[in-house]
Amino acid sequence: MPPDIALDVSKDMLRRGQALYRGKDYKAALRCFTIVVNNEDASLLTALDNRAVTYMQLGDLVSAQRDAKRMIQVDKCSSMGYLRMSKILELLEKAEVALRICEYGLLHVSSEDPNYGLLKSRSKMLIMDSKPVDPIAVLPVELVLNIMLYLDFKTVVRLLRISRLWRSTLVSFPVLWRKLDFSVPLKSIPIATALEYARRAKWTTSHVKFHIKKTNDLEVMGGLMSRCKVLECVEVSANNASYDALIKMEGYLIRIADHLVNLKALTLSFNCSVLLNTASLLLGKCRSLERAEFHSVRCEYSIAKWADWIEGDVANIRVLSLIYGKQQRSNTGNLLNLAALLVKTPKLQKLTLVGWGWSSDTVLSHTDFTNLSELQQLSMVRNSGLVFPRLPPSLQILTLWHCTTNRRLNQEGNDNLISNRLPELTDLVLTEFTDLTLNALLSLLSASKGKLKTLDIESCVHLETEDINTLVKSGYLEEVTRLAFCQLAINDSTAELISQNLPRLKSIDLSLTRVTGIGVKALVLKPHSRLERLNLTGLVLSRDVIVFATTHGITIDHGNRSKDIS
């Protein structure tokens, strides 16, 4: 047969084999490729490559390797044989041999070969797979920084120990040292170390968490806070700190406050007890503060002279928490001058008061929050001498929880409750308002109909079964997802009404009520139910009811009841 005709026959047979390969008829394709290989014409290299791939599909890697070897022998300057051989060797788990084949190929293949770049990339990939590669050494600096920004401060410090390269790289990123966390150290941080961290940030450290245990920790706090002029957020905790260290801490904070011209957030934890006048001085000195949380406050006066130490309004304060220290709680010595507080903080958006008292002769005038036109969240927990306050229409979340002497609403408090219009209210927690009536509650909820997400009226025992049923059917609770009816006079009929009228309910507290297994099953079997959690503490239920609810994917609380908002 003339050479030209033989070549045409080989090309035709090659195309037929490739078509059969695409159709996954590998055995027929193998016969076509074998015919072309036996002809040994200009199509030999392509035919060998196609036959090697077909052998790989058939699982015959030995034959595929033989064809790849022949490809290299046929044309040592072509990348095709080296690429095919490296892939086969990798499947045979001979990555090191595959790498040597690629490196050998790069010595003989011209850079003008169309697959030269692919061969080079495969060689690099095999190198990375065969040898550990330091990511700091191969990744772009920008990518390394972006990864490190996801890590907390303590992890970044540990990474410094890996190698000199890691240390020099991480130290060169000032942004990594702008948020320092010394909150839970195994031992005290030397002041030189702390200042070195701030120096790496070029003194632009903006967030610091301190842990006070010894006097040395106070020196670290003072050194950093006085030098970092752009400090925006400070959190201080203290576990097992001595009384002397806490007293000195107050002095340090007062002296340093003048330097904190950019401070926007200050948090002193439950163990960092400070005098109320210290808190006042800090607010007065740190004019840029927007968030201040004092979780353990003590007083030296029978009536706290709140804000007497502040000159002018604390105009920037948006969030304020004042928690009277648990270790100091008593019936006297914690009377808060609330009126002065409200005058000094006109732009509050969130206010939390825990454990305070109001003197009986001034309580009514001290429960008016209407001048706080931006107030969105008010939480008053375990306060004494409080009646229901007058509230601004901007309020979204209201929590009055176990305020011990508010259990009976006097006429002024009841008028306040009825007169309040809260169109933005989404969360309402009222506990132990024993004289709360249905009409008063509906009046409070009327302006926010369709917006309420949370309702907790625990121990509002004046509400009878019919009152609760009317409330459930009123339409005010259609969007509620969390409901607490603990210690109320409700039964199975109420539970059935809840299942029919509250389509978005996810969590409900029925502890210490008269609901039985019938009511529980009505809640569980509600069509298209979204219920996720049930508190059934104190209910007399059979084990079958609990199992029934849990098998429907609902979390059941049926043990001791524990709840602490502070």
Side-chain angles (χ1 to χ4, degrees), residues 14-205:
L14 190 63
R15 285 193 292 270
R16 186 183 302 176
Q18 291 169 346
L20 290 169
Y21 180 89
R22 288 192 293 271
K24 297 185 179 181
D25 189 352
Y26 300 124
K27 291 184 179 180
L30 185 63
R31 289 194 292 269
C32 293
F33 295 142
T34 300
I35 293 173
V36 179
V37 169
N38 292 336
N39 289 338
E40 295 189 356
D41 53 25
S43 302
L44 178 59
L45 195 63
T46 303
L48 285 169
D49 189 41
N50 290 169
R51 191 169 73 168
V53 173
T54 307
Y55 277 129
M56 290 169 67
Q57 291 292 342
L58 293 172
D60 188 354
L61 295 180
V62 175
S63 298
Q65 185 179 5
R66 187 169 54 246
D67 278 354
K69 182 179 179 181
R70 189 175 172 186
M71 289 172 65
I72 296 173
Q73 293 171 345
V74 169
D75 190 350
K76 189 179 291 188
C77 296
S78 171
S79 61
M80 292 175 63
Y82 303 108
L83 286 169
R84 184 61 56 205
M85 179 64 83
S86 67
K87 292 178 181 178
I88 296 169
L89 289 171
E90 196 170 10
L91 291 174
L92 291 170
E93 299 182 355
K94 297 180 179 180
E96 292 184 4
V97 181
L99 175 59
R100 288 200 296 269
I101 288 292
C102 288
E103 291 175 342
Y104 181 80
L106 289 172
L107 296 175
H108 295 85
V109 176
S110 170
S111 60
E112 296 179 359
D113 186 291
N115 291 321
Y116 179 82
L118 183 59
L119 181 61
K120 191 172 183 178
S121 298
R122 183 155 186 80
S123 176
K124 288 183 178 180
M125 184 187 69
L126 289 169
I127 291 173
M128 294 181 67
D129 290 344
S130 61
K131 297 179 182 179
V133 177
D134 189 340
I136 293 286
V138 298
L139 293 177
V141 175
E142 296 81 3
L143 183 56
V144 172
L145 176 58
N146 287 336
I147 294 171
M148 294 301 162
L149 289 174
Y150 283 96
L151 305 179
D152 58 61
F153 172 73
K154 295 173 186 177
T155 302
V156 172
V157 171
R158 285 196 292 268
L159 292 179
L160 294 174
R161 306 170 189 166
I162 292 178
S163 68
R164 292 181 180 179
L165 176 61
W166 278 68
R167 183 178 183 84
S168 62
T169 302
L170 298 184
V171 167
S172 68
F173 297 139
V175 68
L176 292 181
W177 308 98
R178 289 176 184 163
K179 295 184 178 181
L180 308 181
D181 185 356
F182 308 132
S183 58
V184 191
L186 296 177
K187 58 182 180 180
S188 295
I189 303 294
I191 187 170
T193 302
L195 293 178
E196 175 59 26
Y197 292 152
R199 191 176 293 111
R200 291 171 186 172
K202 299 180 180 179
W203 305 107
T204 60
T205 297

Side-chain angles (χ1 to χ4, degrees), residues 14 39 41 51 68 85 98 156 270 400 419 437 450 505 514 557:
L14 190 63
N39 289 338
D41 53 25
R51 191 169 73 168
M85 179 64 83
V156 172
F270 288 99
L400 301 180
S419 63
T437 64
L505 194 63
R514 294 180 295 199
D557 298 320

Side-chain angles (χ1 to χ4, degrees), residues 499-500 502-503 522-530:
S499 68
Q500 297 167 9
L502 277 63
L523 291 167
V524 172
L525 294 175
K526 180 181 69 171
H528 310 295
S529 174
R530 300 184 182 184

Side-chain angles (χ1 to χ4, degrees), residues 375 391-397 419-427 443-452:
L375 189 65
L391 303 167
S394 59
L395 198 66
Q396 298 176 10
I397 300 174
S419 63
N420 283 313
R421 290 292 177 266
L422 306 175
E424 305 300 324
L425 191 66
T426 60
D427 295 70
S443 176
L444 184 64
L445 298 177
S446 61
S448 61
K449 185 175 182 180
K451 292 184 178 180
L452 199 68

Side-chain angles (χ1 to χ4, degrees), residues 244-355:
D244 183 57
L246 292 177
I247 295 298
K248 289 182 178 180
M249 179 195 71
E250 292 188 65
Y252 267 91
L253 287 172
I254 292 172
R255 288 195 300 273
I256 298 167
D258 292 327
H259 299 280
L260 305 177
V261 294
N262 294 302
L263 190 66
K264 295 182 179 179
L266 175 64
T267 301
L268 302 183
S269 75
F270 288 99
N271 295 305
C272 292
S273 178
V274 295
L275 288 168
L276 187 61
N277 63 329
T278 299
S280 302
L281 286 168
L282 291 174
L283 291 177
K285 288 174 175 288
C286 303
R287 292 292 181 176
S288 59
L289 265 181
E290 297 178 1
R291 183 185 192 95
E293 299 183 30
F294 303 97
H295 292 278
S296 184
V297 181
R298 63 187 192 278
C299 296
E300 291 182 337
Y301 305 93
S302 58
I303 296 181
K305 297 181 179 180
W306 169 259
D308 288 358
W309 295 272
I310 302 178
E311 297 179 2
D313 294 346
V314 189
N316 290 318
I317 284 288
R318 300 294 188 271
V319 178
L320 179 62
S321 294
L322 287 173
I323 300 176
Y324 193 72
K326 293 183 179 180
Q327 65 273 25
Q328 289 93 29
R329 286 182 187 172
S330 63
N331 294 326
T332 60
N334 64 332
L335 299 178
L336 182 66
N337 188 349
L338 184 59
L341 167 62
L342 301 184
V343 169
K344 296 290 185 179
T345 54
K347 295 184 179 180
L348 273 179
Q349 296 178 356
K350 179 181 178 181
L351 175 62
T352 302
L353 301 173
V354 179

Side-chain angles (χ1 to χ4, degrees), residues 435-484:
D435 280 357
L436 181 66
T437 64
L438 175 63
N439 288 337
L441 181 58
L442 291 177
S443 176
L444 184 64
L445 298 177
S446 61
S448 61
K449 185 175 182 180
K451 292 184 178 180
L452 199 68
K453 304 294 183 183
T454 298
L455 177 64
D456 182 346
I457 50 174
E458 173 192 337
S459 302
C460 294
V461 295
H462 189 77
L463 297 172
E464 300 291 341
T465 304
E466 191 57 39
D467 293 331
I468 302 298
N469 291 348
T470 301
L471 174 65
V472 172
K473 294 185 293 184
S474 66
Y476 291 159
L477 310 184
E478 289 181 352
E479 299 296 319
V480 166
T481 59
R482 177 181 171 270
L483 190 65

